[in-house]
Amino acid sequence: MQSVKVGVLGLGTVGSGTVNVLSRNLQEITGRAGRDIEITRAAVRDLASKTACDTSNIAVTDNAMDIVNDPEIQIIVELIGGTGIAFELVSKAIENGKHVVTANKALIALHGNELFAKAQEKGVTIAFEAAVAGGIPIIKAMREGLAANRIEWLAGIINGTGNFILTEMRDKERDFSDVLEEAQALGYAEADPTFDVEGIDAAHKLTIMASIAFGIPLQFDKAFTEGISLISQEDVKYAGELGYRIKHLGISKKTDKGIELRVHPTLIPHRRLIANVDGVMNAVLIQADAVGPTLYYGAGAGSDATASAVVADIIDIVRALTTDPENRVPHLAFQPDALTDTPILPISEVVTSYYLRVHTEDKPGVLADITRILAEQGISIEAILQKEPEVAGGIIPVIMLTQEIVEKNMDAAITQIEALQSVNDSVMRIRIESLG
Ligand code: NDP
Ligand code: HSE
């Protein structure tokens, strides 16, 4: 039988890893796929750029569209990133009847609905395992392994760069920008690292997981996103004193009113397994009705780890090449006509508990003012910690943990606290999840 010809678009961190893993493990991969798989062509932007893989048997071009239009190529592996040229190339590949593998979460989160519909029409597959949580086979686990369950909620550390930064800040008291530079040098960060730091990359991934979990179309524009750039050493320390760790979580929950879709720094009890996921590692915790909680852990970024997911997708496609397109696993787990329009809840309607840190003047009555405002909004304080000023009469940090309250009431309370004369800084608010 003829080998399956693959064209790889992009030979950067993930593209090079894909070439390396495929050639290193060729014998096992062929045994699993049942066919020889050959990367015959690859594209880069600049032919002078160095690649971290051997391209001696691959025809490399700087014209990616030429590969997409090559009738010999059956599978296009898009590893360029972004939603510009990548969208054009993937759309054209589908139009040309080619299967697509991509690690591009931005592309899937923003254009997945349209691309999946086109792929369905053409009878081809778009596989995107590497787009969420790097090397962890989370798409396969949710779409197939948990297919019998009603998923109740999921919470994940789904950005390796952000988790690496938070871990280094906590363990080594390193500076934020210094750690970010290291993550970039290691190939973990996105082309625009604000995507990592501000939670946009995590929101792309969460959008994809929520659709698969709850059978809804992809709705990235409705995801609430808050980054980690305002997290200070001070908050990391106080959270630790109170028995919590700060993690940047993507959370999606099905409630009676709708579906929560939110990415933000979160206090998690330090005894939870997920609170101890450090460095570039990712983890996703899923609560489902039949199986209960399951936890998936592994490398969330990096060359070979991500390539592991990309190559697994290539193998899956090769195995299914001769099957009837109607009987393949649906892109978003549910058949397209079974997707529902359950609304996504705005963050103002989400109910959580909170960590609050207020910097106030050391004056009588300040604490009373703050607790009165909270009480007026129906907010109960669970724990309170007041630190001595570093100099007499100086600023004191007051740290509070609250019970659950709807976000709009907390917003109102924070606005009033910040308006107090004795409060001289913005209130730091971090949501708490017990994940029990
Ligand atoms: P890199 O920046 O390392 O590589 C991008 C590659 O695309 C380079 O080879 C670049 O070529 C090439 N390229 C850019 N523009 C074009 C073009 N117009 N035509 C042809 N080739 C082009 O990115 P990564 O490998 O890190 O990321 C690739 C994708 O994988 C992204 O979608 C990313 O989000 C995703 N991803 C990345 C992970 C990681 O750990 N890095 C993990 C999971 C997903 P040149 O070198 O000549 O500029
Ligand atoms: N920039 C991403 C991260 C790559 O750090 O998690 C993996 O998707």
Side-chain angles (χ1 to χ4, degrees):
M1 206 185 286
Q2 266 209 332
S3 66
V4 177
K5 309 268 188 305
V6 176
V8 176
L9 315 182
L11 287 178
T13 305
V14 185
S16 295
T18 300
V19 173
N20 290 334
V21 170
L22 197 58
S23 78
R24 192 167 74 225
N25 299 338
L26 193 61
Q27 205 185 336
E28 285 90 339
I29 289 169
T30 311
R32 289 179 179 132
R35 294 267 298 266
D36 287 335
I37 299 171
E38 235 187 313
I39 297 177
T40 53
R41 300 193 67 181
V44 291
R45 177 172 30 200
D46 177 1
L47 288 170
S49 356
K50 278 208 160 143
T51 59
C53 61
D54 177 7
T55 54
S56 50
N57 292 318
I58 303 173
V60 182
T61 174
D62 56 4
N63 184 349
M65 199 53 96
D66 201 34
I67 302 184
V68 166
N69 287 326
D70 182 342
E72 286 260 292
I73 300 288
Q74 283 170 276
I75 303 175
I76 290 291
V77 181
E78 183 280 305
L79 300 172
I80 292 174
T83 53
I85 182 77
F87 176 71
E88 283 173 42
L89 292 164
V90 167
S91 301
K92 188 68 183 166
I94 297 166
E95 205 180 302
N96 289 346
K98 297 184 194 309
H99 300 279
V100 173
V101 174
T102 182
N104 190 338
K105 45 272 157 132
L107 181 72
I108 299 298
L110 271 73
H111 297 291
N113 297 326
E114 174 188 347
L115 291 173
F116 294 149
K118 249 188 194 171
Q120 184 87 4
E121 218 179 277
K122 286 283 178 179
V124 297
T125 298
I126 305 173
F128 52 94
E129 182 65 70
V132 181
I136 307 175
I138 189 69
I139 302 293
K140 203 176 237 319
M142 289 176 70
R143 214 162 49 177
E144 296 168 55
L146 297 180
N149 287 262
R150 216 173 45 232
I151 294 178
E152 291 161 9
W153 55 261
L154 60 90
I157 295 172
I158 44 179
N159 183 268
T161 304
N163 202 40
F164 181 65
I165 293 173
L166 286 177
T167 305
E168 293 286 303
M169 278 176 72
R170 189 196 67 218
D171 291 353
K172 302 184 188 152
E173 295 190 10
R174 284 180 66 191
D175 187 54
F176 186 98
S177 51
D178 190 32
V179 193
L180 175 58
E181 267 177 40
E182 192 183 337
Q184 287 177 289
L186 289 166
Y188 302 154
E190 292 304 299
D192 176 354
T194 55
F195 274 45
D196 297 289
V197 168
E198 297 305 337
I200 300 160
D201 177 74
H204 288 148
K205 295 166 179 166
L206 183 70
T207 299
I208 297 171
M209 286 199 293
S211 287
I212 292 174
F214 303 119
I216 50 171
L218 297 150
Q219 296 166 77
F220 170 71
D221 56 327
K222 298 204 179 121
F224 171 80
T225 306
E226 190 177 287
I228 54 169
S229 52
L230 294 178
I231 299 291
S232 64
Q233 285 290 353
E234 190 186 9
D235 296 311
V236 172
K237 194 175 91 194
Y238 296 145
E241 285 177 27
L242 290 159
Y244 291 87
R245 293 232 165 125
I246 302 177
K247 290 290 178 191
H248 202 195
L249 286 193
I251 300 168
S252 190
K253 263 185 212 173
K254 192 164 192 180
T255 73
D256 293 342
K257 291 186 183 161
I259 291 167
E260 297 178 5
L261 194 59
R262 49 191 170 104
V263 173
H264 50 72
T266 312
L267 260 70
I268 318 174
H270 67 84
R271 62 182 182 281
R272 294 265 177 260
L273 277 175
I274 198 168
N276 295 285
V277 170
D278 287 334
V280 73
M281 303 310 269
N282 280 193
V284 180
L285 177 59
I286 301 180
Q287 176 68 36
D289 71 328
V291 69
T294 51
L295 179 67
Y296 308 84
Y297 169 84
S303 185
D304 276 18
T306 311
S308 161
V310 171
V311 176
D313 273 348
I314 298 175
I315 297 170
D316 257 5
I317 288 177
V318 171
R319 283 173 173 154
L321 275 178
T322 52
T323 60
D324 170 6
E326 293 300 316
N327 294 325
R328 294 186 190 138
V329 180
H331 290 108
L332 291 176
F334 290 73
Q335 300 297 337
D337 60 3
L339 296 180
T340 66
D341 58 0
T342 314
I344 305 289
L345 284 180
I347 191 70
S348 55
E349 294 300 330
V350 166
V351 175
T352 61
S353 1
Y354 294 85
Y355 160 102
L356 300 177
R357 191 244 306 135
V358 188
H359 281 161
T360 76
E361 289 169 15
D362 190 12
K363 278 190 189 158
V366 178
L367 205 53
D369 284 341
I370 294 173
T371 52
R372 175 187 47 77
I373 291 171
L374 291 174
E376 280 168 8
Q377 291 298 333
I379 301 167
S380 276
I381 298 171
E382 180 96 4
I384 190 159
L385 190 68
Q386 184 181 333
K387 295 285 181 177
E388 285 176 14
E390 285 186 4
V391 288
I395 297 301
I396 51 165
V398 177
I399 297 96
M400 286 164 286
L401 302 185
T402 75
Q403 290 186 351
E404 285 191 339
I405 188 77
V406 66
E407 178 113 353
K408 61 187 170 200
N409 287 34
M410 183 53 82
D411 289 341
I414 288 177
T415 306
Q416 289 174 49
I417 294 171
E418 285 177 344
L420 291 172
Q421 260 199 340
S422 41
V423 170
N424 64 354
D425 207 351
S426 309
V427 172
M428 182 65 182
R429 160 234 313 253
I430 308 179
R431 297 166 190 85
I432 304 175
E433 291 290 334
S434 68
L435 303 181

